[in-house]
Amino acid sequence: MIRINQPGLKNFVIYVFSFIFLTLFIYLGIPFFFDYKNNQSDLEKRIFENFDLNLSFTSKAKYNIFPSPRLNLKNVEILGFSENYRFFRKLWVFQKTHTRHKNNGPRPQRE
């Protein structure tokens, strides 16, 4: 039987929670190391393949973890749309964490 005051239990619980936190932090933090500026054409191509949106963005792309994992694109032009809905100051591409492994791709959302 496991007792709360058993020697080593406190250290084991600390190690388990530390491992879970570190693994989650690494999993969500990997996109920070991706160079979006040099791979802009590849990013536009992947968004076109996943969403059928022909994008052209002139400003920077930035990844945020909080409040949810998202890719922020600024000054985006969607080619092939009417003039009223063609230019966006910000475009957020969300990706749910529980569907990340299914290759469903991220989903865009307009501000």
Side-chain angles (χ1 to χ4, degrees):
M1 183 172 175
I2 299 176
R3 289 177 274 149
I4 293 177
N5 59 1
Q6 186 174 359
L9 182 65
K10 181 179 178 182
N11 290 337
F12 177 74
V13 171
I14 290 172
Y15 288 138
V16 167
F17 282 120
S18 299
F19 176 75
I20 291 171
F21 178 74
L22 182 65
T23 304
L24 183 64
F25 184 73
I26 290 172
Y27 178 71
L28 292 175
I30 286 175
F32 278 117
F33 300 110
F34 185 74
D35 189 12
Y36 296 107
K37 187 173 186 176
N38 290 337
N39 297 320
Q40 180 176 353
S41 62
D42 183 47
L43 183 61
E44 290 172 355
K45 184 177 124 184
R46 292 194 66 157
I47 291 175
F48 178 71
E49 289 172 357
N50 289 328
F51 304 113
D52 293 328
L53 290 175
N54 195 1
L55 293 182
S56 174
F57 58 97
T58 57
S59 190
K60 64 180 182 177
K62 184 179 172 186
Y63 179 77
N64 287 340
I65 291 178
F66 297 109
S68 64
R70 69 184 73 188
L71 184 64
N72 297 336
L73 304 174
K74 293 185 179 180
N75 299 330
V76 177
E77 178 183 0
I78 299 180
L79 306 173
F81 272 52
S82 67
E83 286 295 321
N84 294 339
Y85 300 106
R86 189 172 188 170
F87 297 101
F88 300 95
R89 283 185 298 129
K90 289 183 181 179
L91 183 73
W92 296 338
V93 181
F94 289 91
Q95 186 168 4
K96 295 181 182 179
T97 55
H98 65 279
T99 60
R100 186 174 289 201
H101 65 281
K102 291 184 181 178
N103 196 17
N104 289 340
R107 63 183 170 126
Q109 188 177 34
R110 180 181 173 204
E111 180 182 310

